[in-house]
Amino acid sequence: MTYVVTDNCIRCKYTDCVEVCPVDCFYEGENFLAINPDECIDCGVCEPECPAEAIKPDTEPGLEKWLTLNAEYAAIWPNITVKRDPLPEAKEMDGVSRKLDLYFSAEPGKGD
């Protein structure tokens, strides 16, 4: 099992989760975070830290595409280990549907 970042992170990008991760397995895109499933130790401390409730265990049904997406982008985006301010539109975007189709950016973030 691993944890994955899902749709609701897109254009919110709260980083509370990266601050508590004991193995620094978060990677930063322009408007999304990804967890490297090969580095995640399944401790679960990140899940309750996400204000957008975008982090889920990959054992939940229907998260296969998110596991693939997290693995793909964690391999190419820079590592992030410090908390930053969420995106300016985070509150308005929290809960918006179809974010992957409409708003996801494959561009890398700044990282540490």
Side-chain angles (χ1 to χ4, degrees), residues 56-71:
K56 306 287 182 193
D58 74 338
T59 54
E60 286 190 15
L63 294 181
E64 296 80 12
K65 73 177 180 182
W66 291 104
L67 180 59
T68 301
L69 188 129
N70 276 246

Side-chain angles (χ1 to χ4, degrees), residues 7 9-10 17 20 22 28-29 35 44 49 51 54 59 79-80 86 93 95 98 110-111:
D7 199 50
C9 180
I10 299 168
C17 53
V20 299
E28 184 184 18
I35 294 174
E49 295 300 317
T59 54
N79 189 241
I80 180 170
M93 293 302 295
R98 296 188 52 230
K110 297 175 189 172

Side-chain angles (χ1 to χ4, degrees), residues 2 9 26 30-31 42 50 57-59 70 73-74 80 84-86 92 112:
T2 186
C9 180
F26 282 87
E30 180 180 37
N31 68 3
D42 313 326
C50 180
D58 74 338
T59 54
N70 276 246
Y73 288 98
I80 180 170
R84 294 200 190 109
D85 290 336
E92 296 85 48
D112 287 347

Side-chain angles (χ1 to χ4, degrees), residues 18-68:
V18 304
E19 192 171 57
V20 299
C21 181
V23 293
D24 300 334
C25 67
F26 282 87
Y27 292 82
E28 184 184 18
E30 180 180 37
N31 68 3
F32 181 73
L33 298 174
I35 294 174
N36 184 324
D38 294 329
E39 295 173 0
C40 179
I41 59 170
D42 313 326
C43 68
V45 297
C46 60
E47 184 181 19
E49 295 300 317
C50 180
E53 298 180 359
I55 300 173
K56 306 287 182 193
D58 74 338
T59 54
E60 286 190 15
L63 294 181
E64 296 80 12
K65 73 177 180 182
W66 291 104
L67 180 59
T68 301

Side-chain angles (χ1 to χ4, degrees), residues 9 11 15 33 50 56 77 100 106-107:
C9 180
R11 290 192 62 190
T15 56
L33 298 174
C50 180
K56 306 287 182 193
W77 285 346
L100 181 61
E107 294 298 313

